[in-house]
Amino acid sequence: MSTQEGTTDRADATPGTPAADLRGRVAELHALRERVEQGDERATAAQRSKGKLTARERIGLLLDPGTFQEVEPLRRHRATGFGLEDRRPHTDGVITGWGTVHGRTVFVYAHDFRIFGGALGEAHAQKIHRIMDRAVAAGAPLVSLNDGAGARIQEGVTALAGYGGIFQRNTRASGVIPQISVMLGPCAGGAAYSPALTDFVFMVRETSQMFITGPDVVQAVTGERVSIGALGGADVHAEVSGVAHFAHDDEETCLEEVRYLLSLLPQNNRETPPAALPEDPVDRPCEALLDLVPADGNRPYDMRRVVEEIVDDGEVLEVHERWAANVVCALGRLGGQVVGLVANQPLVQAGVLDIDASEKAARFVQMCDAFNIPLVTLVDVPGFLPGVDQEHNGIIRRGAKLLYAYCNATVPRISVILRKAYGGAYIVMDSRSVGADLTYAWPTNEVAVMGAEGAANVVFRRRIRAAEDPEAVRRQLVKEYRAELMHPYHAAERGLIDDVIDPADTRRILVESLRMLRAKHADLAARKHGNPPQ
């Protein structure tokens, strides 16, 4: 937690003697509001010298023009001591209110770093609590624009209690309304837990950082020397930790992407995502897929291109694009309806599932299920990643998170097996046995316990070892195993998939299947909540 040294308005900025008539008082009100909105010029210059926008400029970029309705703009703290009684700026360093994004209501709060460094005190926290409560009551998304120096040290434990109230509300709102955290400056210590509790975290390179303990503390305790950016910058959290779902080069691009994400999400968990009139023909053949995906299961290809070929107009918003890249999670539209897509990525580690990929996909599946977004799973998975590190770091319990998420999901679920679907990873990737509503497969599919080579080595190891020419015998047995148990119609013959389809028909079949499943209703057993693997 840091001290606050930002330039602020002083208590003597209060208006003078009230005017004698109502018009005079209204003029006085407008003058006060103008001063509050303009803020201190020196503090504004300091903010811009860091390459950062002001809180009000950020809100202006996020919301539709002219729609922001601010609440409690004249709020001031009541704290005393350490000179606080002489520094009582209006807003108390946070701007709260609501407006619209693409015509739909969105609630927002934005730390104003120009006032107390955006640090949180009692009044500051109460403003945030109130806007969070209003967002839940109204059933509308909440966006936080974070740029604060942590708790206001001069206010002591009351500031810490303020954070507790935010965390509690983040948790109560989880799965009820979409919560989006946009990191536009520092976020250190306990303050970092609020973004971690929300559905999506955006960061901006060079200007935003998140960490529990800063570089000085890290060096003092562990002896490690690290810069702020290397410890908790946007790229670190987008590629290494997985804390950030999106990282952008500037605030303008970041906030435009937040607007796009909101266009794909429902207002709350009682609604479905907003539909759009599709310009892309529903029955458009996807002939390009025949060339994009090699029939040889050992040859890589870019699953992103497959996803772009299938969805409306090739437009997707990939979540966690740079973290755990062996699985792709994205939002897009099929026939104008929003869908969540989960797909193995053969370009990265052959699309194998590991700890990070399992956790990434599990959280995405849970988010989609919470907000009534149907799931489409594209399967090309050789199995779980073997290794001592994976086992010792908990691949069993952490891989089970993805299994739990799929089994618990009640939204429409469709899986398409493109090529490999081996072992436990096949089951986990939304197979029929864990509740997928429909499962399709391409003629290149191979559904089996393991690959033919590995299976032959296990099943026929004695026969191979005893042969005069073990390699020749092994090749023959691999061929026989593949022909007997891994031909593309083996799973269909046993009722494990609904149909083997022409890849070119994938888009049309998915759209038609989702249309059929639109009214799906599933009841879960009564319970407070499940106990998912951690």
Side-chain angles (χ1 to χ4, degrees):
M1 306 281 183
S2 66
T3 57
Q4 292 74 45
E5 299 176 351
T7 304
T8 62
D9 296 326
R10 298 182 61 84
D12 55 15
T14 305
T17 304
D21 58 13
L22 181 57
R23 290 184 183 277
R25 294 197 177 190
V26 169
E28 186 179 77
L29 170 64
H30 287 306
L32 174 59
R33 286 186 176 277
E34 185 177 349
R35 286 196 299 274
V36 171
E37 292 179 7
Q38 182 177 356
D40 185 273
E41 293 182 1
R42 289 176 299 172
T44 300
Q47 177 83 345
R48 292 191 173 134
S49 70
K50 301 172 185 174
K52 295 159 63 175
L53 300 175
T54 67
R56 294 186 184 279
E57 289 170 336
R58 291 163 175 167
I59 292 173
L61 289 172
L62 172 68
L63 300 177
D64 296 336
T67 65
F68 181 54
Q69 179 64 51
E70 187 174 356
V71 293
E72 297 190 86
L74 305 181
R75 185 71 181 267
R76 303 164 80 182
H77 73 74
R78 300 175 296 179
T80 58
F82 305 101
L84 285 178
E85 61 272 17
D86 296 322
R87 302 172 64 197
R88 300 182 61 228
H90 294 98
T91 75
D92 201 47
V94 65
I95 300 169
T96 62
W98 73 88
T100 65
V101 174
H102 302 299
R104 299 190 302 155
T105 299
V106 171
F107 287 78
V108 60
Y109 69 84
H111 299 131
D112 191 343
F113 198 84
R114 300 174 302 169
I115 298 175
F116 294 124
L120 180 139
E122 181 186 27
H124 182 121
Q126 289 174 351
K127 288 181 65 175
I128 294 176
H129 295 169
R130 186 164 174 77
I131 208 65
M132 295 178 77
D133 291 341
R134 286 183 173 178
V136 172
L142 173 72
V143 178
S144 62
L145 304 180
N146 297 272
D147 185 8
R152 196 173 299 169
I153 294 174
Q154 298 94 319
E155 295 197 32
V157 70
T158 56
L160 295 178
Y163 275 121
I166 293 173
F167 302 157
Q168 183 190 50
R169 287 167 172 81
N170 283 139
T171 303
R172 296 295 186 190
S174 180
V176 178
I177 58 171
Q179 299 179 83
I180 300 173
S181 298
V182 188
M183 316 311 296
L184 301 167
C187 186
Y193 285 116
S194 178
L197 290 169
T198 61
D199 300 300
F200 298 96
V201 175
F202 287 76
M203 294 188 73
V204 176
R205 295 183 181 90
E206 305 301 330
T207 59
S208 63
Q209 308 90 32
M210 296 176 67
F211 42 75
I212 298 299
T213 53
D216 293 342
V217 176
V218 169
Q219 183 177 352
V221 174
T222 70
E224 299 173 282
R225 291 192 174 188
V226 63
S227 68
I228 290 179
L231 180 64
D235 288 327
V236 168
H237 287 310
E239 297 178 16
V240 181
S241 72
V243 170
H245 299 79
F246 306 93
H248 295 281
D249 290 330
D250 56 75
E251 295 188 19
E252 292 84 356
T253 303
C254 178
L255 292 169
E256 184 59 36
E257 196 83 331
V258 174
R259 286 175 57 85
Y260 180 48
L261 173 60
L262 286 166
S263 75
L264 298 171
L265 299 175
Q267 291 291 90
N268 54 64
N269 64 346
R270 300 183 303 278
E271 298 182 5
T272 55
L277 187 64
E279 296 181 1
D280 195 353
V282 169
D283 58 353
R284 168 175 57 80
C286 299
E287 299 287 347
L289 295 177
L290 300 173
D291 299 316
L292 282 175
V293 181
D296 182 356
N298 293 319
R299 290 179 57 194
Y301 62 93
D302 190 350
M303 183 63 83
R304 289 190 183 95
R305 296 184 63 190
V306 174
V307 171
E308 291 168 358
E309 178 67 19
I310 292 172
V311 300
D312 293 356
D313 303 307
E315 293 184 1
V316 294
L317 178 61
E318 188 170 352
V319 178
H320 271 143
E321 179 180 355
R322 296 157 61 197
W323 179 60
N326 42 324
V327 69
V328 174
C329 298
L331 294 170
R333 294 181 185 273
L334 277 167
Q337 303 295 325
V338 177
V339 296
L341 299 113
V342 180
N344 307 108
Q345 174 56 290
L347 273 187
V348 181
Q349 296 180 293
V352 70
L353 285 178
D354 60 6
I355 287 172
D356 287 347
S358 298
E359 293 190 334
K360 167 182 170 177
R363 185 89 195 287
F364 183 77
V365 168
Q366 288 176 172
M367 184 279 298
C368 289
D369 187 52
F371 294 116
N372 307 311
I373 300 173
L375 287 160
V376 173
T377 305
L378 304 178
V379 184
D380 191 347
V381 62
F384 281 95
L385 180 66
V388 174
D389 285 346
Q390 288 288 305
E391 296 294 344
H392 286 186
N393 285 309
I395 184 63
I396 295 173
R397 63 179 173 83
R398 296 164 79 177
K401 293 182 182 182
L402 180 54
L403 182 61
Y404 188 98
Y406 270 126
C407 290
N408 203 46
T410 61
V411 293
R413 292 155 50 191
I414 303 173
S415 61
V416 182
I417 303 170
L418 279 60
R419 299 193 310 185
K420 303 179 297 298
Y422 294 160
Y426 151 67
I427 300 173
V428 169
M429 289 296 291
D430 205 20
S431 62
R432 275 274 296 276
S433 59
V434 299
D437 297 295
L438 290 166
T439 300
Y440 298 109
W442 288 4
T444 45
N445 82 86
E446 293 182 353
V447 182
V449 175
M450 63 178 69
E453 290 80 4
N457 289 336
V458 172
V459 176
F460 305 114
R461 62 182 181 278
R462 293 181 181 177
R463 184 173 169 184
I464 293 171
R465 190 184 306 121
E468 293 184 5
D469 187 349
E471 185 57 29
V473 171
R474 191 188 69 81
R475 286 197 300 268
Q476 179 59 33
L477 291 173
V478 167
K479 183 178 180 180
E480 292 176 6
Y481 183 89
R482 181 175 281 114
E484 179 68 23
L485 295 177
M486 297 183 65
H487 63 80
Y489 306 104
H490 179 75
E493 291 170 358
R494 283 152 183 78
L496 297 175
I497 61 175
D498 291 283
D499 199 5
V500 179
I501 64 174
D502 182 342
D505 293 333
T506 303
R507 171 178 164 80
R508 175 185 61 79
I509 290 172
L510 286 174
V511 172
E512 292 175 353
S513 299
L514 288 167
R515 184 179 294 131
M516 180 274 293
L517 290 167
R518 193 169 299 161
K520 174 187 174 183
H521 176 74
D523 289 319
L524 294 175
R527 58 181 176 180
K528 288 178 66 178
H529 55 75
N531 187 23
Q534 299 294 329

